[in-house]
Amino acid sequence: MAARRTSHYPEARLWSREEGEAWRERWFADQNWRPLPHQKQAWDAIQNQASGLLELPTGSGKTYAVLFGFLPQLGDGRRGLRLLYISPLKALARDVEHALHKPCADLGLHLRVETRTGDTTAARRRQQKLQLPEILITTPESLALLLTQDNSASLFSELQGIIIDEWHELLSSKRGSLLELCLSRVRSLASGARTWALSATLPNHEEAALAACGVGSQPLLITGLPPRNIQMRTLLPGPEDRLPGAGHIGLRMLPQVATFLDPAFSTLIFTNTRSQAERWHEGQLMIRPELEDRIALHHGSLDPKTREQVEHGVKEGQIRFVVCTSSLDLGVDFPEVDRVVQIGTPKSISRLIQRAGRSAHAPGKDSELLFVPTHNLELLEIAACRRALQAGFIEPRTPREQPLDVLIQHVVSCAMGGGFQADALYQEVCTAYGFRQLTRETFDWVLRFVVEGGDVLKAYPQYCRVVLESETFVVKDRSIMQRHRQNIGTILSDSSMIVKMGRRTLGMIEENFAARLRKGNRFLYAGRWMEVVSIADLTIYTRLSKKAGNGLIPTWLGQKLPWSPLLSTFMREVVEQLAYGSDLSDDPELSVLSAVCQAQKKISLWPHAGEILAEITGSREGEHFFIFPFEGQAVHESLGMLLVYRMSRLLAATFSLASNDYGLEIVSSIPLHWERDLVHGLLTTENMYQDLEAALNQTELARHKFRGIARVAGLVHQNLPGRRHSNRQVQSSSGLLFDVLKRFDTGNLLVRQAEVEVMEDQFNCAGLQRVLLKLQSTPIRFQTTRNFSPLAFPLYVERVSAQISSEQLADRIERIKNSWKQPSGKSAAKSSRSSPKKPSTGLGAEL
């Protein structure tokens, strides 16, 4: 990029530390800025050849803290890649390019600043293949692609610095594992390159720094500014209103949110799912149609050009309100945003801080966050979030341990990118933190798998991807190279179909939802009601519908945000405060929730400190057993399945199950002795894994999990030259592979990985063991009730809402709520308390 140099800056060459400090100070002064202490500390550290982690709140000037550490050494006129900037998002890369180009242009540095992502044109990629720019901004996937080029060694030979942005977002995912491996490769090609990771606040910052900089490094940790002050408020219902018990997405609060929105204050409205974002955007337009040109929608399934237009509109002040999802959690700098609204709760403290930080995105400014509860029990979560934030707690991000599907992909990439020797690559891989304990035996198994296809697939050439030539492992087959490059990376999503209106692309929807659509159907998408004109070639052709409402709402798999275990501790503190009727003036949410607490006490009781509430209620369906550990839905679902399996081994009964973040419900066709059986054996941790595997049909779940593993490892391919496999085709191919490998390749490590991931990721066995031990050591307070209590009610609604019509459900809800107004609904004679005991006889002995 051509740039005009301002005369009072030094000439383009290698400057001394004193000269570099002088022109840095001068450039900051020209921007009316003053370098912050942590920025100066980072400049000195980089000047002294250190690597490290810059851990600061969002909006603290981290990018310039590392950029100006490297820039003085890049002005010597040498060509080729000198500085590599890795961003987790393509959208973020555009902002970073502008941020990096400006000082280079102002200082007259003859440095090319370019991006290389999936959106980069083919012409630009061909040019970069011959010679990379001096500063390259890319993503983990595009970096992995660069390493597959046969001239990768020369591409990275001049590299001096690596910057990893938003490292906390990559750290605990397979994308992070892939990046760790890619950086281990890059460092072997450019031994003098230093690595700096930019991260929001993390409690395990030493581990995060080592994962970024590599095993054997001595990373420096730089922190500076205290966490930004977040002004949290909650939009509470009016005196005549009340929040629903469950099953809603918060639209009851829509009029109050519309009143809160003021065009004088730019606002991001975060929802937790794309479907919810579509509904809230539509609702705002219905209530305030005069703001149609100033309200926009932003989520990950919309066309990138649409998202770019929204982002540009916010920066220019043309768009004042954006209803969005996690698509705007990261990176895109919005210094113009004044407020953030969170519909529901973000389910974790780190996500709360990240989203709140999108407002007043600059050092020293306070963030403003408004919570909008969608149901009454969510007020407990909001109060817990406030307490955790005040206490300074935040969730750790732990790197994944040895995902072999990622390693297999990386090994093939290295074989394509000039080849490798086995011993050297093994030593290199072990410098990646997540693979620091990789045994040579496991590495050799991976090597045999990519060379021979293992014991079963050796007869099929497409699985024998790597060959050994003169002690160097390489890939020779061009078709294998092409398929590998087209499917590189670890981002997995269900197959999607393009949505078009005329020639304009609106975005993507998943095949699972698209399969329900027929010509003439109407669905809400991109903020408008669309009518299906035709479906062909994985494309849904639409036109604007003449009618609004009464259509389908797109759904996306995997929408639910995971619950943070950290919230459980603070949730129990809030529950305890309500139980004892303590002063609620500091928690406005609890003042509103006190009415729910009183209704709970009329029907049952409110759990006290040091005990767990369980309720038993009879109905025409059977016997309902409720228990409330407050440990999150994933743990409760696993606990419910384990209890049902153990009980069904002993009794001939029919069971159904429901769970949420607060507790679980088990409905049995016959009365059971829950109080006796929970104490005497059902809660044991003995044989937990074996029982859970049997309860979950673990083989079928592992087969489903293997689909993603097979795609990452390159055993099945979503993308092929000129065409794309459907989700059904990928599922069929991966399922067949799983069955063959499990049956005929005993000990296959990818099959074992699928089984482990099911237990750890999908059903949180560590959390299940924790809650079982807690239930064994904590008294369980049993209550027999005539009606469903306010705590039990959301679980009941969760289960029956899919079985009956909305009118029938509404009638049932009203009957249950009316029962809370009666003087008393509990059977005091049936109230009892169980103390923790060791399993002795009866059911405990049998289990």
Side-chain angles (χ1 to χ4, degrees):
M1 296 180 179
R4 177 179 298 176
R5 182 173 61 85
T6 306
S7 60
H8 62 260
Y9 295 119
E11 295 294 333
R13 58 181 173 82
L14 189 62
W15 299 288
S16 67
R17 173 181 290 194
E18 292 75 17
E19 287 176 315
E21 290 174 352
W23 64 252
R24 278 192 300 240
E25 296 280 355
R26 208 173 298 156
W27 188 84
F28 267 69
D30 286 349
Q31 318 306 313
N32 294 319
W33 298 343
R34 293 180 61 187
L36 298 170
H38 65 267
Q39 292 176 322
K40 291 185 175 182
Q41 187 180 356
W43 298 342
D44 289 341
I46 295 172
Q47 187 80 20
N48 292 327
Q49 307 300 309
S51 294
L53 174 73
L54 195 59
E55 182 202 51
L56 291 162
T58 182
S60 301
K62 295 190 289 287
T63 299
Y64 283 157
V66 289
L67 174 66
F68 279 93
F70 285 111
L71 272 186
Q73 302 163 54
L74 305 184
D76 57 2
R78 289 157 58 190
R79 306 290 286 175
L81 179 62
R82 311 292 297 285
L83 182 62
L84 180 64
Y85 194 107
I86 301 166
S87 162
L89 294 177
K90 292 185 290 186
L92 176 58
R94 294 188 296 271
D95 277 357
V96 171
E97 181 178 4
H98 175 75
L100 299 190
H101 173 64
K102 179 173 173 52
C104 293
D106 289 347
L107 296 171
L109 299 176
H110 302 295
L111 302 175
R112 290 175 298 153
V113 181
E114 296 177 3
T115 60
R116 184 184 178 95
T117 68
D119 295 335
T120 303
T121 63
R124 175 62 60 85
R125 285 198 299 269
R126 285 193 297 269
Q127 182 184 16
Q128 291 174 347
K129 186 175 182 179
L130 299 175
Q131 187 179 60
L132 292 172
E134 286 72 42
I135 300 177
L136 180 68
I137 304 153
T138 190
T139 61
E141 293 73 27
S142 292
L143 175 59
L145 271 172
L146 282 174
L147 290 173
T148 66
Q149 296 184 188
D150 54 10
N151 63 337
S152 59
S154 62
L155 289 177
F156 293 96
S157 60
E158 298 293 331
L159 185 67
Q160 292 181 261
I162 303 167
I163 301 171
I164 312 169
D165 202 359
E166 305 285 2
W167 177 229
H168 58 283
E169 286 296 325
L170 292 167
L171 184 58
S172 57
S173 66
K174 286 187 178 181
R175 289 187 82 199
S177 301
L178 178 63
L179 183 55
E180 288 180 44
L181 289 169
C182 288
L183 292 179
S184 71
R185 186 66 170 171
V186 169
R187 293 188 194 105
S188 74
L189 302 175
S191 58
R194 285 143 294 149
T195 304
W196 280 87
L198 313 182
S199 173
T201 305
L202 288 169
N204 58 328
H205 42 243
E206 292 181 359
E207 183 179 40
L210 203 56
C213 299
V215 175
S217 64
Q218 295 180 323
L220 180 67
L221 176 66
I222 295 180
T223 60
L225 299 175
R228 295 173 65 189
N229 183 43
I230 299 177
Q231 299 178 7
M232 286 177 51
R233 292 196 296 132
T234 303
L235 193 62
L236 298 172
E240 303 299 322
D241 299 323
R242 62 181 181 182
L243 288 169
H248 294 262
I249 60 172
L251 292 178
R252 186 171 295 192
M253 300 292 289
L254 189 60
Q256 288 179 257
V257 174
T259 302
F260 170 80
L261 297 180
D262 183 345
F265 300 94
S266 178
T267 306
L268 298 182
I269 305 168
F270 279 102
T271 65
N272 290 343
T273 69
R274 282 164 278 185
S275 300
Q276 191 180 24
E278 292 276 0
R279 295 290 302 278
W280 267 84
H281 177 258
E282 179 199 27
Q284 291 293 340
L285 289 178
M286 291 176 63
I287 291 180
R288 301 193 65 176
E290 75 279 5
L291 296 177
E292 180 176 4
D293 294 335
R294 314 199 78 181
I295 299 177
L297 177 67
H298 192 291
H299 61 69
S301 292
L302 298 179
D303 184 67
K305 291 182 180 178
T306 301
R307 300 200 300 267
E308 290 174 25
Q309 290 170 357
V310 173
E311 294 160 14
H312 180 75
V314 174
K315 292 177 182 179
E316 295 298 318
Q318 300 162 351
I319 294 176
R320 306 303 292 165
F321 314 112
V322 182
V323 184
C324 55
T325 62
S326 55
S327 59
L328 285 183
D329 274 3
L330 296 181
V332 181
D333 286 332
F334 287 141
E336 300 79 8
V337 171
D338 302 300
R339 296 169 169 173
V340 168
V341 175
Q342 170 66 51
I343 309 299
T345 66
K347 303 297 181 182
S348 78
I349 305 305
S350 59
R351 193 176 294 108
L352 182 156
I353 295 172
Q354 187 77 36
R355 291 183 172 181
R358 307 318 294 152
S359 68
H361 192 77
K365 293 187 177 181
D366 291 350
S367 299
E368 183 176 339
L369 176 66
L370 179 72
F371 276 116
V372 180
T374 64
H375 58 83
N376 51 31
L377 292 183
E378 217 160 40
L379 295 170
L380 288 173
E381 291 184 55
I382 295 173
C385 285
R386 177 180 283 108
R387 290 179 178 227
L389 198 63
Q390 291 170 346
F393 282 85
I394 193 170
E395 299 86 1
R397 307 286 182 95
T398 305
R400 298 183 77 98
E401 293 289 338
Q402 298 184 32
L404 295 185
D405 53 342
V406 180
L407 179 57
I408 287 173
Q409 182 183 117
H410 179 70
V411 168
V412 176
S413 294
C414 292
M416 291 169 58
F420 63 85
Q421 284 76 46
D423 291 344
L425 185 62
Y426 173 67
Q427 295 298 326
E428 180 185 301
V429 165
C430 288
T431 65
Y433 184 81
F435 296 87
R436 66 197 181 281
Q437 296 179 335
L438 182 73
T439 65
R440 185 56 191 257
E441 180 184 7
T442 301
F443 178 79
D444 288 341
W445 182 91
V446 168
L447 204 54
R448 287 195 305 273
F449 193 77
V450 298
V451 172
E452 302 173 357
D455 296 336
V456 175
L457 304 177
K458 63 179 71 174
Y460 302 93
Q462 66 267 34
Y463 301 115
C464 304
R465 292 169 280 177
V466 177
V467 297
L468 180 61
E469 284 189 349
S470 303
E471 299 185 357
T472 300
F473 290 90
V474 295
V475 176
K476 305 292 287 185
D477 191 313
R478 290 190 174 276
S479 63
I480 289 176
M481 292 183 185
Q482 188 176 23
R483 287 196 299 268
H484 181 82
R485 290 189 175 115
Q486 287 186 311
N487 293 275
I488 208 162
T490 63
I491 299 175
L492 302 175
S493 61
D494 282 326
S495 294
S496 299
M497 297 184 69
I498 299 171
V499 181
K500 284 194 170 187
M501 182 174 64
R503 294 182 178 182
R504 180 186 173 191
T505 298
L506 300 180
M508 312 283 285
I509 60 174
E510 291 181 357
E511 273 187 7
N512 290 328
F513 174 76
R516 299 160 51 188
L517 297 177
R518 299 290 183 271
K519 182 179 179 180
N521 286 165
R522 292 181 300 110
F523 64 99
L524 182 64
Y525 190 77
R528 290 163 288 194
W529 284 98
M530 312 303 300
E531 181 180 335
V532 177
V533 176
S534 64
I535 301 175
D537 300 325
L538 294 178
T539 302
I540 302 171
Y541 296 93
T542 66
R543 62 188 174 202
L544 283 174
S545 174
K546 296 180 181 179
K547 297 180 181 179
N550 298 321
L552 298 172
I553 308 296
T555 57
W556 286 267
L557 297 178
Q559 289 192 38
K560 188 174 177 61
L561 294 178
W563 168 277
S564 165
L566 185 61
L567 281 179
S568 298
T569 301
F570 292 97
M571 281 277 287
R572 286 190 289 272
E573 285 187 11
V574 173
V575 169
E576 177 182 350
Q577 185 177 356
L578 279 168
Y580 290 108
S582 307
D583 180 22
L584 305 179
S585 58
D586 292 337
D587 289 297
E589 301 86 10
L590 301 191
S591 300
V592 175
L593 198 58
S594 61
V596 178
C597 181
Q598 293 303 316
Q600 175 71 25
K601 290 178 179 179
K602 288 181 181 179
I603 301 292
S604 173
L605 58 82
W606 190 264
H608 285 65
E611 67 180 22
I612 293 174
L613 175 64
E615 296 175 355
I616 298 173
T617 307
S619 76
R620 285 178 293 181
E621 291 182 88
E623 183 178 77
H624 303 256
F625 169 71
F626 301 93
I627 191 166
F628 305 100
F630 293 97
E631 290 287 344
Q633 183 168 20
V635 172
H636 294 155
E637 184 178 15
S638 300
L639 175 62
M641 290 181 173
L642 183 66
L643 295 180
V644 165
Y645 173 73
R646 288 177 169 177
M647 188 64 83
S648 64
R649 284 168 48 190
L650 303 170
L651 297 170
T654 301
F655 298 93
S656 58
L657 173 67
S659 61
N660 61 19
D661 288 329
Y662 318 117
L664 63 97
E665 175 199 31
I666 297 174
V667 185
S668 58
S669 56
I670 60 174
L672 304 175
H673 300 286
W674 286 106
E675 183 174 356
R676 179 198 68 190
D677 295 338
L678 280 180
V679 175
H680 292 156
L682 285 181
L683 298 177
T684 180
T685 57
E686 186 177 351
N687 297 324
M688 182 191 78
Y689 284 94
Q690 296 89 325
D691 289 349
L692 193 59
E693 286 180 1
L696 298 174
N697 187 6
Q698 200 249 8
T699 298
E700 184 58 38
L701 290 170
R703 180 184 291 108
H704 181 78
K705 178 67 72 173
F706 185 79
R707 178 176 62 183
I709 291 173
R711 284 166 63 178
V712 172
L715 299 181
V716 297
H717 301 100
Q718 188 89 58
N719 302 308
L720 295 171
R723 59 193 177 97
R724 177 180 172 88
H725 271 154
S726 69
N727 190 47
R728 186 175 300 175
Q729 289 172 310
V730 172
Q731 184 174 354
S732 175
S733 299
S734 62
L736 178 60
L737 274 172
F738 177 84
D739 292 338
V740 169
L741 293 176
K742 186 172 179 62
R743 182 176 180 184
F744 298 107
D745 191 1
T746 306
N748 184 284
L749 296 184
L750 291 181
V751 172
R752 179 57 187 157
Q753 180 183 336
E755 295 169 346
V756 170
E757 286 188 9
V758 165
M759 304 305 287
E760 291 182 353
D761 298 347
Q762 202 161 340
F763 291 100
N764 193 353
C765 281
L768 175 61
Q769 186 170 30
R770 183 181 66 249
V771 76
L772 285 174
L773 293 173
K774 173 183 151 185
L775 290 170
Q776 290 177 25
S777 60
T778 305
I780 301 175
R781 185 75 175 271
F782 285 84
Q783 289 290 112
T784 301
T785 66
R786 295 191 184 97
N787 301 301
F788 298 121
S789 71
L791 285 179
F793 170 67
L795 288 162
Y796 169 78
V797 172
E798 177 82 19
R799 185 176 51 80
V800 303
S801 59
Q803 304 173 9
I804 60 178
S805 69
S806 58
E807 291 84 358
Q808 291 173 313
L809 179 60
D811 291 340
R812 291 193 189 186
I813 289 174
E814 283 306 311
R815 286 199 301 271
I816 293 170
K817 285 187 174 180
N818 289 333
S819 72
W820 297 346
K821 302 176 184 178
Q822 297 173 4
S824 177
K826 64 183 175 183
S827 179
K830 297 291 183 73
S831 176
S832 61
R833 185 193 304 268
S834 72
S835 300
K837 301 176 184 177
K838 295 182 179 179
S840 53
T841 59
L843 183 59
E846 293 182 58
L847 289 174

